[in-house]
């Protein structure tokens, strides 16, 4: 799902890098955000809502809505839509399969 | 503890307003720090691939991304500006100390003055399942697509027909994404008619008086249910329809981001015309707190051109206050900028802004010429459908058929009063006029027009066409603007469409102007059967014809 040719823009993508999504190896480009790289790989579900387990994905893409939070290199609640992708990064979905007892 | 850094001016936000503010002040010797949350400058400009409206002086006719390049270039060259990227302003305290988080370090600043150009955030809409992945704000779609080159979906339903919604739809089509429809709750289209017409020609339906009821899908959007609204905005029973799509894009308005201003206890008030809570401010953009200014969307939702001018006014006002010399010159430039703003806002599309500003006690100190606040033509049909009425067209076509015998002539299909003039400025033969006011509708003087086609590439609304009715015994030629891939070849046969996107006939490409001057808006001459010269307004190049 990457744009190859565009009538107005030309995308100067950085170097190809590897990263991991829930343990699975994926390819992204230097200079893009984690969220953009995931989306380009066809991944749209980033987490589940805590209580009702509803799927969550990108909504604003500029760090304002918190719907793209994931655990990145062990740090929870990272806004993936404004965090640049780094080589070897480990990105994990949040709350998937986690039971909350109240 | 880190030292507190003294500053003359701190500009918060690196979008069009912030960049313009920093430049305006720095050009008069003020030392500026410009902070931006993201790792790059530009704000929304970075996603704007379309040409801007407005006046030539403020870059009209230039693509947003190119305006940005110019601004950044100027900022980088200016020794008085220090740019702090990836820097978040965390707090601003009563003694005007500002804390900024940069590279995991807290830094403290003590600026003499501050300009807040923090922009806006997108509004949300309540409907069933509105939290599914695949539901985006319009800005997110633009960011993914135009900044990162990642497609958000393959078939999008757009909610909202304001300029942002219309522009994003066009950009989706340019990126190869289908737009299922545009749904608008109001009885008329919110954005400029030229943007809407552009989409209609490409076959995108615009459904006014419609709304979304729910999103369908389990893990991701698979469709949407929409319905019709009556004149009281109530659902019309039995009008539900299912639209297939894999993303829903919300473009239902913006609201100013005033959180930081509230921290400093700047007085704000609710003005619906300006998008929500806005700071009280004077004509120089100064808030209720002395030396604290605002510019751009944070002061009220408007177009980027207005944001840039507001930035200039704020920057110049700071320079005037702090500066030691050139005060008269600065004062003159402030006046110029204010006049420019007033002109931009003086037409019918500025009505809402004017009303909002007057609620803040602002009217630029003058009364607007009410002559310009009404439409010259009845465009109700156009604003409902995106397609001009017969009446509208008649108004812009030559009054006598024999004018067409002269040779190729330009036809302007721009019927709405809004601030825009690149067509006027682009014509080397002075054949287009708006009668001295940028808000007027452009008319072509067919006597002067040579049919050169320059205006076709320069009009940001893609509303200029050249018609050569008597190209041959049986054929006419229409020069049309084209901003898609694949590019046509000379001699190629293409499908030709009318203003509603309906297939008319096949046409032959006989000439392509697609050089540096056209800047990616090619002017393509298509030969068609004569009977269609008044209808043919779009064409598509078949993908398969190209290697
Ligand atoms: S076709 Fe050429 S001469 Fe005619 S209005 Fe356009 S720019 Fe002017
Ligand atoms: S015809 Fe002129 S006024 Fe209308 S959109 Fe084009 S450039 Fe602007
Ligand atoms: S998508 Fe909104 S914060 Fe990331």
């Amino acid at each position: 799902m990457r744009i190859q040719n565009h009538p107005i823009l030309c995308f100067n993508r950085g170097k190809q890098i590897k990263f991991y999504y829930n343990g699975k190896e994926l390819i992204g480009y230097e200079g893009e955000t984690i969220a953009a790289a995931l989306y380009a790989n066809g991944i749209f579900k980033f987490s589940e809502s805590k209580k009702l387990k509803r799927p969550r994905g990108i909504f604003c893409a500029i760090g304002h809505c918190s719907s793209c939070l994931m655990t990145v290199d062990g740090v929870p609640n990272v806004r993936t839509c404004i965090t640049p992708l780094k080589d070897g990064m480990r990105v994990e979905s949040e709350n998937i399969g986690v039971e909350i007892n109240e | 503890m880190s030292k507190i850094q003294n500053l003359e001016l701190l500009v918060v936000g690196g979008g069009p307003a912030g960049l313009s503010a920093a430049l305006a002040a720095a050009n008069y010797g003020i030392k500026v720090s410009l902070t931006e949350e993201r790792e790059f400058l530009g704000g929304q400009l970075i996603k704007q691939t379309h040409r801007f409206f407005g006046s030539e002086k403020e870059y009209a006719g230039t693509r947003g991304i190119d305006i940005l390049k110019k601004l950044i270039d100027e900022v980088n060259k200016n020794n008085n500006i220090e740019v702090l990227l990836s820097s978040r302003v965390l707090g601003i305290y009563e003694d005007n100390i500002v804390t900024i988080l940069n590279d995991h370090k807290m830094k403290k600043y003590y600026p003499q003055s501050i300009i807040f150009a923090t922009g806006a955030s997108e509004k949300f809409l309540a409907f069933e399942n509105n939290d599914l992945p695949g539901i985006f704000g319009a800005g997110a779609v633009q960011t993914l697509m135009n900044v990162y080159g990642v497609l958000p979906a393959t078939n999008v339903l757009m909610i909202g027909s304001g300029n942002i919604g219309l522009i994003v739809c066009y950009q989706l089509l340019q990126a190869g994404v289908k737009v299922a429809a545009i749904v608008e709750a109001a009885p008329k289209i919110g954005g400029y008619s030229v943007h809407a017409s552009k989409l209609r020609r490409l076959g995108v339906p615009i459904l006014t008086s419609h709304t979304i009821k729910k999103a369908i899908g389990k893990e991701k959007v698979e469709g949407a249910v929409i319905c019709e609204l009556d004149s009281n905005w109530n659902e019309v029973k039995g009008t539900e329809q299912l639209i297939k799509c894999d993303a829903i894009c919300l473009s239902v308005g913006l609201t100013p981001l005033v959180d930081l201003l509230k921290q400093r206890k700047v007085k704000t008030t609710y003005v619906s015309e300006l998008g929500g809570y806005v700071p009280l401010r004077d004509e120089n953009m100064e808030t209720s707190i002395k030396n604290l200014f605002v510019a751009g969307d944070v002061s009220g939702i408007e177009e980027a051109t207005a944001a840039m001018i507001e930035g200039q006014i704020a920057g110049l006002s700071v320079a005037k206050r702090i500066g030691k010399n050139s005060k008269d010159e600065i004062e003159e430039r402030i006046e110029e900028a204010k006049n420019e703003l007033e002109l931009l806002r003086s037409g019918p599309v500025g009505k809402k802004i004017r009303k909002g500003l007057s609620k803040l006690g602002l009217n630029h100190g003058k009364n607007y010429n009410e002559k310009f606040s009404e439409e010259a033509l009845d465009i109700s049909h156009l604003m409902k459908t995106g397609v001009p009425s017969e009446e509208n067209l008649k108004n812009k076509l030559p009054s006598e058929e024999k004018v067409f015998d002269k040779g190729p002539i330009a036809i302007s299909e721009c019927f709405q009063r809004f601030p825009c003039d690149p067509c006027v400025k682009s014509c080397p033969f002075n054949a287009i006029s708006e009668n001295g006011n940028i808000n007027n509708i452009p008319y072509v003087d067919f006597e002067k027009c040579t049919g050169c086609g320059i205006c076709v590439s320069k009009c940001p609304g893609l509303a200029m066409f050249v018609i050569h009715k008597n190209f041959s015994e049986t054929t006419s030629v229409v020069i049309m603007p084209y901003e898609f891939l694949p590019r046509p070849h000379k001699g190629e046969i293409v499908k030709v469409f009318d203003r509603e996107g309906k297939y008319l006939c096949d046409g032959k490409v006989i000439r392509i102007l697609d050089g540096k001057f056209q800047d990616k808006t090619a002017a393509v001459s298509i030969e068609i059967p004569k009977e269609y010269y008044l209808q043919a307004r779009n064409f598509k190049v078949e993908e398969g014809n190209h290697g």
Side-chain angles (χ1 to χ4, degrees):
Chain A
M1 296 264 276
R2 287 187 187 276
I3 304 172
Q4 300 307 341
N5 296 307
H6 193 280
I8 311 290
L9 295 166
C10 121
F11 299 102
N12 299 314
R13 296 196 170 97
K15 160 168 138 250
Q16 267 201 3
I17 51 179
K18 268 189 222 149
F19 71 107
Y20 301 89
Y21 162 72
N22 289 344
K24 197 170 127 203
E25 187 183 303
L26 296 176
I27 300 288
Y29 291 90
E30 215 161 56
E32 63 187 7
T33 58
I34 300 170
L38 286 174
Y39 223 87
N41 278 287
I43 290 154
F44 47 81
K45 178 173 160 180
F46 288 17
S47 62
E48 276 179 0
S49 70
K50 279 201 178 119
K51 254 193 176 155
L52 297 172
K53 306 262 163 241
R54 293 180 61 88
R56 288 285 176 267
I58 305 174
F59 174 73
C60 75
I62 49 167
H64 286 156
C65 75
S66 310
S67 79
C68 67
L69 301 183
M70 296 178 92
T71 299
V72 176
D73 288 337
V75 180
N77 297 335
V78 173
R79 287 178 298 171
T80 55
C81 70
I82 52 166
T83 307
L85 186 73
K86 298 258 157 62
D87 196 18
M89 227 173 205
R90 291 184 176 273
V91 185
E92 269 142 291
S93 308
E94 289 186 357
N95 304 317
I96 291 184
V98 180
E99 292 298 322
I100 307 265
N101 298 313
E102 303 222 356
Chain B
M1 218 172 77
S2 64
K3 271 207 323 267
I4 295 177
Q5 202 183 320
N6 283 308
L7 277 181
E8 286 185 323
L9 169 63
L10 175 72
V11 177
V12 184
L19 289 167
S20 305
L23 281 169
N27 285 338
Y28 284 99
I30 306 299
K31 294 273 175 221
V32 187
S33 281
L34 174 64
T35 69
E36 165 58 45
E37 215 179 354
R38 305 293 301 266
E39 64 272 30
F40 44 79
L41 290 174
Q44 306 308 308
L45 281 182
I46 197 157
K47 320 169 190 172
Q48 314 298 355
T49 52
H50 61 284
R51 292 173 198 283
F52 271 44
F53 293 113
S55 76
E56 277 257 300
K57 220 160 121 203
E58 302 298 333
Y59 311 106
T62 308
R63 297 186 189 281
I65 44 175
D66 296 326
I67 298 175
L68 175 64
K69 272 183 217 141
K70 283 185 199 159
L71 290 175
I72 290 185
D73 199 44
E74 273 182 62
V75 164
N76 288 339
K77 277 202 292 231
N78 198 312
N79 292 328
N80 290 328
I81 306 176
E82 172 206 26
V83 180
L84 299 164
L85 295 174
S86 306
S87 297
R88 219 166 193 204
V89 174
L90 296 178
I92 158 165
Y93 303 96
E94 240 159 88
D95 50 7
N96 268 349
I97 294 209
V98 180
T99 54
I100 298 178
L101 184 69
N102 166 271
D103 197 15
H104 301 288
K105 279 194 263 318
M106 281 267 261
K107 291 184 182 160
K108 286 198 187 120
Y109 291 86
Y110 183 58
Q112 276 182 54
S113 48
I114 306 177
I115 298 174
F116 279 99
T118 48
S121 67
E122 283 183 272
K123 287 184 181 163
F124 198 52
L125 193 66
F127 56 90
E128 207 180 315
N129 274 338
N130 66 2
D131 57 347
L132 269 185
I135 295 174
F136 296 101
V141 164
Q142 268 188 315
T143 301
L144 278 178
M145 184 166 74
N146 295 351
V147 180
Y148 299 110
V150 172
L151 287 176
T154 61
N155 185 9
V156 174
L157 176 69
M158 178 65 68
I159 313 296
S161 70
N163 276 331
I164 299 180
L166 298 175
I167 287 168
V168 172
C169 282
Y170 187 72
Q171 293 176 355
L172 281 161
L173 296 171
Q174 284 182 309
V177 178
K178 193 172 172 259
V179 177
I182 301 167
V183 168
E184 168 61 57
K188 60 176 202 170
I189 294 164
Y192 294 154
S193 70
V194 282
H195 282 316
S197 296
K198 220 153 76 172
L199 290 161
R200 286 305 307 271
R201 295 203 291 268
L202 287 156
V204 176
I206 303 177
L207 307 169
T208 44
S209 296
H210 276 73
T211 194
I212 180 168
K213 283 190 75 176
K214 63 176 170 190
I216 313 271
K218 273 218 164 63
E219 291 279 279
K220 184 180 195 280
V221 171
E222 286 160 29
V225 175
I226 64 167
C227 71
E228 226 176 292
L229 295 176
D230 65 18
S231 53
N232 296 317
W233 304 71
N234 291 322
E235 184 189 336
V236 182
K237 287 258 164 330
T239 58
E240 285 188 359
Q241 58 170 304
L242 178 73
I243 304 266
K244 276 211 149 243
C245 58
D246 57 356
I248 297 168
C249 185
L250 303 182
S251 175
V252 290
L254 300 169
T255 192
L257 268 174
V258 293
D259 311 23
L260 273 176
L261 293 168
K262 284 196 174 154
Q263 259 193 44
R264 187 63 181 84
K265 302 206 170 55
V266 167
K267 287 201 184 100
T268 60
T269 182
Y270 190 86
V271 182
S272 61
E273 289 85 356
L274 300 178
Y277 280 94
V278 292
L280 289 178
R281 56 174 176 87
D282 66 13
E283 286 175 12
N284 296 319
M285 310 306 294
E286 191 167 16
T287 65
S288 59
I289 308 264
K290 199 169 158 55
N291 292 324
L292 212 161
F293 295 75
V294 285
D297 277 351
V298 69
S299 67
I301 306 302
E302 223 177 323
E303 300 292 304
T305 313
M308 290 189 275
I309 303 176
E310 283 184 349
Q312 287 164 15
I313 295 174
L316 290 167
S317 300
V318 169
K320 190 177 134 196
R321 195 164 292 168
I322 299 179
K324 292 103 211 157
N325 41 41
S326 28
K327 286 207 171 153
D328 289 343
E329 191 190 315
I330 299 177
E331 186 52 46
E332 230 169 82
R333 289 207 45 205
I334 294 177
E335 278 314 305
E336 257 173 52
K338 283 184 186 167
N339 288 338
E340 187 89 2
L341 255 190
E342 204 179 312
L343 194 63
L344 275 183
R345 291 167 174 162
S346 66
V349 298
K351 208 171 198 163
K352 206 166 123 189
I353 301 291
R354 296 201 298 274
K355 196 165 160 208
L357 290 175
S358 70
K359 286 188 181 170
L360 290 177
L362 294 170
N363 213 359
H364 303 283
K366 284 179 201 152
N367 288 323
Y368 281 93
N369 181 351
E370 285 306 318
K371 220 174 81 216
F372 287 111
S373 55
E374 296 303 327
E375 290 294 352
L377 308 172
D378 174 5
I379 54 168
S380 50
H381 178 76
L382 174 62
M383 294 315 285
K384 207 173 159 47
T385 60
V387 181
S389 66
E390 288 297 319
E391 211 37 54
N392 293 160
L393 285 169
K394 223 192 280 159
N395 200 280
K396 303 299 284 288
L397 292 169
S399 53
E400 287 174 70
E401 190 66 24
K402 70 166 194 263
V403 174
F404 282 113
D405 296 339
K406 172 182 166 247
I409 49 167
I411 303 289
S412 147
E413 301 210 354
C414 184
F415 309 94
Q416 187 182 23
R417 276 185 164 167
F418 71 108
C420 184
D421 69 0
C423 56
V424 176
K425 299 282 163 63
S426 74
C427 178
F429 303 95
N430 289 323
I432 311 179
S433 166
E434 284 188 318
N435 242 331
N437 187 307
I438 190 172
N439 281 285
N440 268 332
I441 299 172
Y443 281 91
V444 179
D445 181 339
F446 303 115
E447 283 297 316
K448 289 187 188 162
C449 175
T450 63
C452 69
I454 285 177
C455 54
V456 173
S457 293
K458 283 292 165 189
C459 162
L462 306 192
M464 295 297 310
F465 300 87
V466 170
I467 298 180
H468 190 179
K469 185 188 172 197
N470 303 315
F471 181 72
S472 77
E473 272 302 301
T474 54
T475 63
S476 299
V477 164
V478 181
I479 309 182
M480 307 184 212
Y482 182 79
E483 295 187 316
F484 286 85
L485 290 178
R487 291 312 223 204
H489 298 307
K490 206 173 153 178
E492 186 173 349
I493 302 298
V494 293
K495 299 244 170 293
V496 178
F497 300 85
D498 69 4
R499 294 183 188 85
E500 296 177 54
K502 285 202 204 98
Y503 170 77
L504 272 182
C505 57
D506 282 359
K508 185 172 165 197
V509 178
I510 58 165
R511 186 160 169 246
I512 306 156
L513 296 175
D514 196 7
K516 203 168 170 196
F517 178 83
Q518 280 74 26
D519 186 23
K520 296 169 181 130
T521 308
V524 184
S525 304
I526 312 273
E527 187 180 2
I528 49 163
K530 209 170 218 161
E531 64 215 85
Y532 297 124
Y533 76 101
L534 286 178
Q535 285 143 51
R537 290 298 177 268
N538 193 22
F539 68 93
K540 280 182 194 158
V541 179
E542 299 279 303
E543 196 83 45
N545 292 355
H546 293 258

